Amino acid sequence: MKTITWRDRLRYQFDKSMAAGPIALIGWLAVISLVVIVIAGLFLAITGIAQEGGTPVSFIEGAWESLMRTMDAGTMGGDAGWSFRGVSLVVTVAGIFVFSALIGVLSSGLDEKLDELRKGRSHVLEKDHTIIFNWSPSIFDVISELVIANESRRNPRIVIMASKDKVEMEDEIADKIADLKNTRIICRSGDPTDLYDVNIVNPQASRSIVVLSPESDYADSEVIKTVLALVNDPERRKEPYQIAAEIRDAKNAEVARIVGGSELQLVLADELISRIVVSSSRQAGLSAVYTELLDFDGSEIYAVEQPALVGKSFGHAVMAYDTSTLIGLCDLDGVVHLNPPNNRVIAAGERAILIAEDDAAIKPRTGDFEVDREIVRPPVQHTEGPERTLLLGWNRRGPIIAQELSRYVAPGSELLIAANRAGLETEVAGLSYLKENLAVRCTVIDTTNRAALDALDVPSYDHVLVLGYSDDMAPQPADTTTLVTLLQLRKIADAANQHIGIVSEMIDVRNRNLAAVTRADDFVVSNKLVSLMLAQASENELMAQIFDELLDEDGSEIYMRPVTDYIAIDRPVNFYTVTLAALIRGEVALGYSRATTAGHDPRNMGGVVVNPVKSEKLSFDAADRLIILARQ
């Protein structure tokens, strides 16, 4: 074994100190400067060397003279006497070396600090902020909606953590979102599944947390692991978190709920989109209703206690609001009941679930109201017959759409799936759906080819759904394929001189206005809807539960029904009368949809108006429809 000498030990200790970084280097330079100054001061004091014509200096004076020459090489320019000049020269040369090295160390340390800041690894000290974990195309819509929701707050902050470069995130946000209003965005780079990295964004002081589904092959697993890191942190806060998380595959929902417990609201992205696609395909304009309820621009859903309603029946309470719409109740156990029986008495502590433009606008009516009972019509029963549906295009949501469709249609209905996808026959053969209600066939064709579409006899179908090829293509190419398909369908409809009910899924919201030229009945922008739902769930802890019931065939759902089924339209009527006509049927009237939107649709909602002022009188046409919350 090699003998360790004192020199080896000194060298080892020196190497360790140098590895400590810029602070250690500055310390060593300070030591060297001090040694040079002390030696020079002692030398001048002992030898009595002084400037020509001057008196000898003391140790203190000699040290001061040396310090000045160390810091400024020009100081020795006025020295006289070669002995004194020699000492000054040595000190000055040492000073030049020390301060040159010091400047280099400071510059290097500053560069390292800037590089560290660029990496986005410093801890966030914000309070009452919203945290977004992971990066996906949905993040821009989520931020945009939160910016609107934050307008009434003081100094709102959104903190983002993703496995992405901090500067790249900031640049993309600045490019995609022009106006952040009063909201400030703070980005951090890190692994949202790592407990240490999660704590960088200070979840202990957060107001709400959004966990997006990342763009990876194991997206759901990463989301679940992030939630696990949040709720099981040994140093987590005692108060519950408000977490909204996106899960793609419903099979993983149960595990996510076990992990997140009551702190977690799950947004099942594929099921949400699929159910809205199916609902919209059978009732044109319905996606606009869901968009209105989910975005922060216009009317939203609130859950608030209303002491004035305690002891009243639900039916009586529905008529108690002029500028808001009561749609349900949240009981003392936190369970949501949409459209409960009219005679259900509201108990103290229960929260009212209302649609309103703002929480400040939720106030019970103080004056009287008028109802025109003469024009209220008795309930009308409509018998649904078999339907033929054509599904063009295919993606991972296709199986869910087929299953949902089979639950709504009457027995004897048909579904033809036509898509340009290898292995489509195998996928369709393995579909799970109600075979007694729906017969499913498939064919592999190029859905952008006019001849292939003509061979399907498109005008013979009651409903046409167009899905994007989002599994096989990037968003823009997939939407381009959808647009070409829609243009071909428009030509087919024009040639047949027949209206074809078309509902299309768009992936990128920026393509919706471009798609308007195809004259499809409705567009479901998939990423946008998921983003809206996540943003709402981060603000309202009941939102996921509310939409679970709205989109469940066993719960209360939203329907678009002819206005003439409810009231006579021979004279203007206020919405109190419409509300009463719906209550008689055990339903809640949410709004209406105009068949002709000219002059009635300033927000470009396709004629849809949700939560109208009930006291204002309206004139309806025979083709207008009411937006109804009902159980069937």
Side-chain angles (χ1 to χ4, degrees):
M1 179 184 290
K2 178 183 176 182
T3 302
I4 300 176
T5 65
W6 63 270
R7 290 184 179 180
D8 294 329
R9 295 185 184 280
L10 286 177
R11 184 178 183 83
Y12 175 67
Q13 294 299 329
F14 178 76
D15 289 345
K16 281 204 308 181
S17 67
M18 293 294 285
I23 299 299
L25 294 173
I26 293 173
W28 275 112
L29 291 173
V31 169
I32 293 171
S33 298
L34 182 63
V35 169
V36 171
I37 292 167
V38 169
I39 291 174
L42 286 172
F43 183 77
L44 290 174
I46 293 171
T47 61
I49 295 175
Q51 296 201 47
E52 190 174 299
T55 58
V57 295
S58 65
F59 168 72
I60 299 297
E61 186 65 25
W64 176 259
E65 294 282 352
S66 299
L67 175 62
M68 292 300 99
R69 284 154 180 78
T70 301
M71 297 179 65
D72 183 6
T75 304
M76 69 169 290
D79 293 343
W82 286 107
S83 297
F84 193 85
R85 285 173 178 170
V87 175
S88 298
L89 178 62
V90 172
V91 172
T92 301
V93 170
I96 291 173
F97 166 77
V98 168
F99 278 89
S100 296
L102 179 61
I103 291 171
V105 169
L106 291 175
S107 177
S108 176
L110 183 60
D111 287 342
E112 288 180 11
K113 187 62 178 178
L114 291 175
D115 188 53
E116 181 182 341
L117 292 174
R118 185 183 182 280
K119 291 178 180 177
R121 299 292 296 168
S122 59
H123 282 262
V124 172
L125 301 181
E126 301 292 342
K127 293 183 178 180
D128 199 37
H129 54 293
T130 298
I131 299 173
I132 301 177
F133 287 111
N134 295 319
W135 189 268
S136 80
S138 301
I139 194 168
F140 306 109
D141 290 320
V142 172
I143 294 173
S144 297
E145 291 302 313
L146 291 176
V147 165
I148 297 173
N150 286 338
E151 286 188 78
S152 59
R153 295 193 176 96
R154 184 179 179 184
N155 299 324
R157 300 288 185 265
I158 298 175
V159 179
I160 301 168
M161 168 167 278
S163 302
K164 190 177 177 72
D165 183 77
K166 171 181 179 289
V167 176
E168 287 183 19
M169 289 191 281
E170 292 171 343
D171 289 345
E172 284 195 48
I173 291 170
D175 183 53
K176 298 286 180 63
I177 306 174
D179 185 9
L180 292 172
K181 302 185 187 298
N182 63 329
T183 298
R184 182 185 171 193
I185 306 294
I186 301 167
C187 295
R188 291 291 182 267
S189 294
D191 182 0
T193 66
D194 182 86
L195 185 58
Y196 174 80
D197 286 3
V198 165
N199 282 318
I200 288 176
V201 294
N202 195 17
Q204 320 294 344
S206 66
R207 180 168 57 85
S208 60
I209 300 170
V210 176
V211 186
L212 299 178
S213 179
E215 296 180 288
S216 73
D217 294 333
Y218 306 99
D220 285 355
S221 298
E222 293 183 32
V223 170
I224 292 171
K225 192 174 179 182
T226 299
V227 175
L228 184 65
L230 283 166
V231 301
N232 290 286
D233 182 357
E235 299 180 1
R236 61 154 295 167
R237 70 188 189 192
K238 294 181 180 179
E239 297 79 13
Y241 289 122
Q242 184 164 322
I243 306 171
E246 176 186 0
I247 291 289
R248 293 182 184 175
D249 193 338
K251 296 176 184 176
N252 299 317
E254 188 60 33
V255 175
R257 290 191 176 100
I258 292 173
V259 169
S262 60
E263 297 174 279
L264 176 66
Q265 286 194 87
L266 274 187
V267 177
L268 302 180
D270 287 348
E271 286 206 356
L272 173 72
I273 297 166
S274 300
R275 289 178 177 179
I276 292 179
V277 166
V278 171
S279 299
S280 300
S281 71
R282 308 181 73 247
Q283 303 178 82
L286 202 54
S287 71
V289 178
Y290 288 119
T291 301
E292 174 72 358
L293 295 178
L294 283 172
D295 68 16
F296 287 99
D297 186 15
S299 294
E300 307 156 38
I301 298 177
Y302 296 90
V304 293
E305 285 193 42
Q306 295 286 278
L309 302 183
V310 174
K312 295 182 179 180
S313 67
F314 178 77
H316 183 87
V318 169
M319 302 294 287
Y321 293 90
D322 187 49
T323 58
S324 305
T325 303
L326 179 66
I327 63 172
L329 301 169
C330 177
D331 64 22
L332 299 179
D333 295 324
V335 179
V336 167
H337 304 274
L338 295 184
N339 186 33
N342 290 342
N343 59 0
R344 186 191 192 282
V345 177
I346 300 173
E350 291 188 325
R351 284 182 284 175
I353 301 174
L354 302 111
I355 301 173
E357 287 194 1
D358 189 78
D359 52 357
I362 301 175
K363 297 177 182 178
R365 187 196 66 257
T366 55
D368 296 330
F369 64 95
E370 297 179 357
V371 173
D372 189 353
R373 293 180 178 272
E374 293 182 0
I375 66 171
V376 175
R377 290 184 169 177
V380 178
Q381 294 293 330
H382 294 283
T383 303
E384 300 289 344
E387 303 172 19
R388 300 184 73 233
T389 303
L390 174 62
L391 177 58
L392 299 173
W394 192 254
N395 56 38
R396 66 175 185 269
R397 289 180 282 276
I400 306 175
I401 289 174
Q403 186 178 40
E404 288 298 316
L405 189 62
S406 70
R407 294 174 177 174
Y408 283 96
V409 297
S413 298
E414 300 176 22
L415 171 65
L416 173 61
I417 301 170
N420 187 13
R421 185 181 178 107
L424 179 64
E425 296 92 341
T426 304
E427 287 190 62
V428 172
L431 290 180
S432 173
Y433 58 92
L434 301 178
K435 294 179 171 60
E436 61 270 22
N437 285 359
L438 191 66
V440 178
R441 297 180 294 114
C442 74
T443 180
V444 178
I445 66 165
D446 179 1
T447 53
T448 64
N449 184 278
R450 174 64 183 274
L453 292 174
D454 282 334
L456 298 178
D457 190 17
V458 175
S460 67
Y461 287 88
D462 301 300
H463 313 289
V464 177
L465 283 70
V466 182
L467 297 185
Y469 291 94
S470 54
D471 296 349
D472 306 320
M473 303 179 186
Q476 290 302 324
D479 279 353
T480 300
T481 302
T482 300
L483 287 170
V484 173
T485 301
L486 290 171
L487 287 171
Q488 297 287 21
L489 292 173
R490 172 183 169 179
K491 291 181 180 179
I492 291 172
D494 290 342
N497 194 25
Q498 178 181 334
H499 172 75
I500 300 176
I502 303 171
V503 171
S504 175
E505 175 195 33
M506 302 298 295
I507 300 169
D508 194 325
V509 67
R510 291 173 294 180
N511 295 319
R512 177 164 184 166
N513 290 335
L514 185 61
V517 300
T518 64
R519 298 201 299 265
D521 291 328
D522 214 343
F523 296 99
V524 177
V525 185
S526 52
N527 287 342
K528 175 77 170 179
L529 286 172
V530 173
S531 305
L532 294 178
M533 186 65 188
L534 286 167
Q536 284 283 355
S538 71
E539 298 289 316
N540 184 342
E541 72 275 13
L542 297 177
M543 188 57 67
Q545 192 181 158
I546 289 170
F547 264 77
D548 280 345
E549 182 162 352
L550 282 177
L551 295 171
D552 186 350
E553 70 276 5
D554 295 328
S556 289
E557 300 178 65
I558 298 175
Y559 295 91
M560 310 278 281
R561 291 176 174 169
V563 67
T564 52
D565 284 0
Y566 290 79
I567 58 170
I569 57 172
D570 56 346
R571 55 181 180 262
V573 60
N574 63 27
F575 211 74
Y576 280 114
T577 303
V578 175
T579 302
L580 176 63
L583 283 173
I584 291 172
R585 296 161 171 79
E587 304 167 356
V588 177
L590 308 182
Y592 57 87
S593 174
R594 299 279 190 186
T596 304
T597 61
H600 298 285
D601 194 15
R603 294 184 56 216
N604 193 29
M605 293 288 293
V608 167
V609 177
V610 176
N611 184 39
V613 177
K614 295 184 180 67
S615 57
E616 293 182 358
K617 292 203 171 184
L618 304 164
S619 295
F620 289 105
D621 294 330
D624 293 343
R625 294 174 297 165
L626 295 180
I627 304 168
I628 299 294
L629 179 63
R631 291 201 167 271
Q632 58 179 0

